[in-house]
Amino acid sequence: MNLNKYINNRMELKGAIIGSLMGDLCICKTGGKNSNAWFTMTHGVEQKEYLEFKTNILNMHPLVNAKISERNTHLKKTDSDYLEYQSISNRNKYATYLYNLVYPNKKKIVNKKILDQITDFGLLLWYLDDGYLNIRRYPDGRIKEYRIFLYTMNFTFEEVVMIKNWFIDKYDISPNIN
């Protein structure tokens, strides 16, 4: 996919990365006040191509150099091992800037300033991470309706209401909160 078709300026790139941050992209920061943060995300074997796609988006930023590695993980709950892929960037000032915006108290938050920077492509990335299409059918198999869910469990109820209002303002869509 030619990403330049969807991300052709700095604001589009920022909007895509912030949309990813609302989903599975994380920012980590350790060390002192002056140390830089880094981006990271992990997916299973079935989503390796998707991880490569999102890593390519991160690497469009001139300060970011992310690489994918594989690792075996042991899940105690099932006592089984599985392979997963992780994308980790270098420490950089852009990740640090976004970390201070999105993790002000070391916990991911959402606010109007963050939401207003998400582009349509960024919303697509958020949906690809945390969205779900539900197709309801009549008993005879005909389609009754399509429903789109965007899982926001990691946000507070107040933040979810803010997200709902953002959808109303930006897209004239009034989602239900479940």
Side-chain angles (χ1 to χ4, degrees):
M1 170 183 270
N2 180 4
L3 287 172
N4 291 327
K5 180 178 177 183
Y6 302 98
I7 303 171
N8 55 23
N9 62 53
R10 198 181 84 211
M11 295 311 293
E12 286 288 335
L13 179 58
K14 184 176 186 179
I17 292 173
I18 291 176
S20 291
L21 274 171
M22 294 299 100
D24 292 340
L25 180 62
C26 297
I27 304 175
C28 298
K29 188 173 188 303
T30 57
K33 186 169 91 170
N34 295 325
S35 66
N36 281 322
W38 67 93
F39 296 104
T40 182
M41 55 190 150
T42 304
H43 286 291
V45 173
E46 310 81 33
Q47 293 182 311
K48 182 182 180 195
E49 232 179 289
Y50 178 53
L51 182 66
E52 291 168 346
F53 170 73
K54 293 195 305 182
T55 299
N56 288 338
I57 292 170
L58 280 177
N59 285 333
M60 292 177 78
H61 195 284
L63 297 178
V64 179
N65 181 14
K67 295 188 181 343
I68 297 174
S69 60
E70 64 180 54
R71 67 181 187 184
N72 286 308
T73 301
H74 182 77
L75 190 60
K76 287 182 182 179
K77 186 176 180 180
T78 60
D79 193 33
S80 58
D81 295 323
Y82 63 96
L83 180 66
E84 64 184 10
Y85 293 92
Q86 184 175 32
S87 175
I88 302 175
S89 80
N90 59 316
R91 290 178 180 259
N92 62 80
K93 290 180 189 247
Y94 185 60
T96 303
Y97 162 76
L98 288 179
Y99 180 85
N100 292 331
L101 179 68
V102 179
Y103 297 83
N105 296 311
K106 299 184 180 182
K107 181 185 179 306
K108 189 185 286 189
I109 60 124
V110 65
N111 60 40
K112 185 145 174 43
K113 181 177 179 180
I114 294 166
L115 289 170
D116 286 342
Q117 295 179 69
I118 298 173
T119 59
D120 292 347
F121 190 68
L123 178 58
L124 168 71
L125 295 170
W126 185 7
Y127 171 78
L128 289 173
D129 282 346
D130 293 338
Y132 169 69
L133 174 64
N134 174 264
I135 302 172
R136 296 184 65 203
R137 298 182 181 275
Y138 291 105
D140 66 3
R142 291 180 298 127
I143 295 173
K144 181 177 183 177
E145 68 181 354
Y146 295 97
R147 299 187 309 170
I148 294 174
F149 292 86
L150 187 61
Y151 293 98
T152 55
M153 300 74 89
N154 294 326
F155 298 119
T156 66
F157 180 74
E158 291 78 15
E159 289 171 320
V160 173
V161 169
M162 189 181 315
I163 292 167
K164 174 184 174 150
N165 291 331
W166 176 74
F167 271 101
I168 292 169
D169 293 343
K170 183 165 182 166
Y171 295 104
D172 198 24
I173 295 171
S174 183
N176 295 323
I177 296 175
N178 295 317

